[in-house]
Amino acid sequence: MDQAARKPRTRIQIEKRELILEAALEIFAQHGFRGATIDQIADAAGMSKPNLLYYFKSKDDIHRTLIQRLLDTWLAPLREIDDIGDPVTELRSYIRRKLEMARDYPRESRLFANEILQGAPRVLPMLEGELKTLVDEKVEIIRGWMRAGKIARTDPYHLIFAIWATTQHYADFDVQVRAVLGPARDGEGRFEDAARFLEQLFVEGLRVKG
Amino acid sequence: MDQAARKPRTRIQIEKRELILEAALEIFAQHGFRGATIDQIADAAGMSKPNLLYYFKSKDDIHRTLIQRLLDTWLAPLREIDDIGDPVTELRSYIRRKLEMARDYPRESRLFANEILQGAPRVLPMLEGELKTLVDEKVEIIRGWMRAGKIARTDPYHLIFAIWATTQHYADFDVQVRAVLGPARDGEGRFEDAARFLEQLFVEGLRVKG
DNA sequence: GTCTATATGCTGATAGAC
DNA sequence: GTCTATCAGCATATAGAC
C-alpha cells in the first residue's frame, strides 16, 4: 500500500532491508537491545557494518522498525475476537492461535518480552493507547458473554493476561521449559501437550457452574 | 552458618557487599546484564566504581552472586509442596505464595526472566540439574493426587509452567499490566483481583468432573 | 553500493597515591 | 578502604576511496 509513501526505495533496497531485519530479529531477541551489536547483525546478514548502516541509519532505527512491524501482527489474533460465534470456541481458538504464534514466532515474542522487561521505553505510549483501547473493547465482549451466562463470571482483564502469560511462556522461557522436560519431550509433541493442557485449563476454568 | 567459610569477611565488608547487591539487583533487573553498567550500580550504591570493584572483583561476580542467592529463595515455595495436606489447598497456597513473591520481589523475578530470555548462560546447568529434579519430584506428587481422584487429570509439567507463567507475569510484564489496567486499578486492589482470578482459574480448571 | 580506515565515546578493570 | 587518573578494548557511527 503505502510502503514507499515516505521513503521511496528500489526493489533491491527493500530486499536488503528485509535481510537486515531478519538478521536483527535473531540477534535482538537473543541479546536484547543493548546486548546486540551492529557487528553481530551485519555478520548474520552477510554484509559489512558500514554497509548495513547504509540501509538503516542507526541501531535504534533497526530496532524501532522491528518493534513496529511486530505489533501489527502480534495483536491480530486478539483483534479477531468477536461476539458472533460461540464464546468458548472463540476463546479456545484465540488461545490456540496465540500458542501457535509462540511456536512459530518465538523471536518476535522474545523481542517484545525484552522490550517490556526493560520498562517498554519504545512502546509505552502504544501500550497505554492502542493496546489498552483494544483490550478494553474485547473485555466488553467478554463481559457480555458473562452477563449472558455463556461463561463463568471472572475478571476479563486478568483472563487476557493469563492467556498471554501462559502462551508466551513457551517462547520466552523456552530454555527453561526444555531443561525441565528433558530431551525426551522435545519437538512437536511438546506443543500438542501444551495445547491440550491450556485448553483444559481455560475451558474448565470458565465452565458455568450449574 | 558457613557464610564466611571460604572467604572470611568483616562485618563492614558484609554490609558494603549487601549495599552493592541491593543496588545491582535494581540495575540488572531493569537493564539486563549487558545493559547494566558498573557506573550505574556504583552510583546507586553511593560509591565510586573502583571502590565497588574492591568488594566484587568484576561485574560478572556481582551478577553470579545475585543469581545464586535468588535461586535459593525462589524455589522455596515449590519445595514446600507435599502430599500430606489437601491437594487443592496445597496448590492454592502455592499459587498464592508465588503471586506474593511477584508482588514483593519483582526485581528478582525480572533478574531471572532476563537470564532465561538470554538463553540462561549462567544457570542452564542448574535448570537441567537441580530444578528438573525438584520439578520431577513434585510432578510425581501431583500425579498421585490425580490417580487418587483428588484433582482432574492433566499434564502436571504444564500445570507448573502455567502457574509460573501467570504469577511471574505480574512482575515481568508489570509495565504492560499497568498500562492496560490504567491508573484507576493501581496498588493493592490489583493484587487481590489477580489472586482471586488465578484461584478461580486453577481451582475450577482442576475440579474433578462429577 | 560497498569497502577500508578511523573518529569518538563508553565501559570494565587496574595502578598507585593517600 | 577510598580516591583520582588512566589503560585497553569495544561499539556506534562517519569519512572518503573505489
Side-chain angles (χ1 to χ4, degrees):
Chain A
M1 206 61 81
D2 63 348
Q3 72 186 26
R6 291 174 56 89
K7 297 186 181 181
R9 300 188 216 283
T10 70
R11 188 177 54 78
I12 283 192
Q13 274 174 330
I14 293 171
E15 281 172 8
K16 286 268 184 181
R17 282 173 63 93
E18 281 316 311
L19 196 65
I20 292 167
L21 288 173
E22 161 64 25
L25 175 58
E26 187 77 29
I27 306 294
F28 279 134
Q30 197 179 348
H31 303 285
F33 180 77
R34 191 96 191 310
T37 72
I38 297 186
D39 263 321
Q40 283 176 303
I41 299 171
D43 255 29
M47 66 184 70
S48 69
K49 180 163 51 173
N51 196 6
L52 181 150
L53 287 167
Y54 171 78
Y55 292 99
F56 287 90
K57 69 175 189 295
S58 72
K59 180 179 170 180
D60 198 74
D61 187 20
I62 306 175
H63 193 263
R64 280 178 192 281
T65 306
L66 277 175
I67 289 272
Q68 197 159 7
R69 178 174 302 202
L70 157 77
L71 293 175
D72 290 336
T73 57
W74 207 241
L75 293 175
L78 183 57
R79 279 190 232 279
E80 281 177 21
I81 291 181
D82 59 48
D83 53 359
I84 297 176
D86 170 53
V88 171
T89 308
E90 205 70 27
L91 284 173
R92 205 199 319 248
S93 77
Y94 176 55
I95 292 165
R96 179 92 193 181
R97 287 206 56 191
K98 281 292 288 176
L99 192 61
E100 284 167 357
M101 290 189 71
R103 176 194 57 185
D104 299 336
Y105 305 100
R107 299 175 305 177
E108 280 83 349
S109 186
R110 286 195 278 263
L111 178 72
F112 187 71
N114 261 308
E115 174 70 10
I116 301 296
L117 257 181
Q118 328 263 302
R122 292 166 186 81
V123 294
L124 189 55
M126 177 275 179
L127 297 182
E128 291 170 334
E130 192 186 346
L131 179 65
K132 176 169 170 47
T133 304
L134 178 62
V135 172
D136 284 346
E137 184 189 320
K138 300 307 177 183
V139 159
E140 279 315 309
I141 292 179
I142 295 173
R143 284 217 176 101
W145 292 339
M146 290 176 183
R147 275 195 297 269
K150 304 273 193 173
I151 59 174
R153 286 176 189 274
T154 188
D155 190 314
Y157 286 102
H158 292 277
L159 171 60
I160 291 174
F161 293 152
I163 293 173
W164 288 349
T166 49
T167 53
Q168 292 172 9
H169 186 80
Y170 290 100
D172 303 341
F173 286 72
D174 179 59
V175 183
Q176 181 177 251
V177 168
R178 295 178 112 89
V180 168
L181 291 182
R185 218 68 186 93
D186 263 16
E188 185 61 22
R190 230 176 65 222
F191 174 81
E192 278 308 327
D193 288 350
R196 246 191 313 274
F197 170 80
L198 290 180
E199 168 163 347
Q200 176 177 346
L201 176 67
F202 285 102
V203 170
E204 294 301 322
L206 294 175
R207 188 183 295 280
V208 181
K209 286 176 234 178
Chain B
M1 212 62 74
D2 62 347
Q3 71 187 29
R6 290 174 57 88
K7 296 188 180 180
R9 299 190 217 281
T10 70
R11 189 180 51 80
I12 282 190
Q13 274 174 330
I14 293 172
E15 282 172 7
K16 286 268 182 180
R17 282 173 62 94
E18 281 316 311
L19 196 65
I20 293 167
L21 288 172
E22 161 63 25
L25 176 58
E26 187 77 29
I27 306 296
F28 279 134
Q30 196 179 346
H31 299 104
F33 180 77
R34 194 91 194 307
T37 72
I38 298 185
D39 263 321
Q40 283 177 302
I41 299 171
D43 255 28
M47 66 183 71
S48 69
K49 179 163 56 172
N51 195 6
L52 181 151
L53 287 167
Y54 171 79
Y55 292 98
F56 288 89
K57 69 175 188 296
S58 71
K59 180 180 171 180
D60 197 75
D61 187 19
I62 307 175
H63 193 265
R64 282 179 192 280
T65 306
L66 277 174
I67 289 273
Q68 196 159 7
R69 179 173 303 201
L70 157 77
L71 293 174
D72 290 335
T73 58
W74 207 241
L75 293 176
L78 183 57
R79 277 190 234 279
E80 281 176 21
I81 291 180
D82 60 47
D83 53 357
I84 297 176
D86 170 54
V88 172
T89 308
E90 206 70 26
L91 285 174
R92 205 200 318 250
S93 77
Y94 176 56
I95 293 165
R96 178 94 194 180
R97 287 206 57 191
K98 282 292 287 177
L99 192 61
E100 284 168 356
M101 291 189 72
R103 177 194 57 184
D104 299 336
Y105 305 99
R107 299 175 305 177
E108 280 82 350
S109 186
R110 287 194 277 263
L111 179 71
F112 187 70
N114 262 308
E115 175 70 11
I116 301 295
L117 257 181
Q118 327 265 305
R122 292 167 185 80
V123 294
L124 189 55
M126 177 275 180
L127 297 182
E128 290 170 335
E130 192 185 347
L131 179 66
K132 176 170 170 44
T133 305
L134 178 61
V135 172
D136 285 346
E137 185 189 318
K138 299 308 177 182
V139 159
E140 278 315 309
I141 292 179
I142 294 172
R143 284 217 177 100
W145 293 339
M146 290 174 183
R147 275 193 298 268
K150 305 273 193 173
I151 59 173
R153 286 177 190 275
T154 188
D155 189 314
Y157 286 103
H158 292 276
L159 171 60
I160 290 174
F161 293 152
I163 293 173
W164 288 348
T166 49
T167 54
Q168 291 171 10
H169 186 79
Y170 291 100
D172 303 341
F173 286 71
D174 178 59
V175 184
Q176 180 177 251
V177 168
R178 294 177 111 89
V180 168
L181 290 183
R185 219 66 187 93
D186 263 16
E188 184 61 22
R190 230 176 66 221
F191 174 80
E192 279 307 328
D193 288 350
R196 246 191 313 274
F197 170 80
L198 290 180
E199 167 163 345
Q200 176 177 348
L201 176 68
F202 284 102
V203 169
E204 294 301 322
L206 294 175
R207 188 183 295 281
V208 181
K209 284 176 235 178

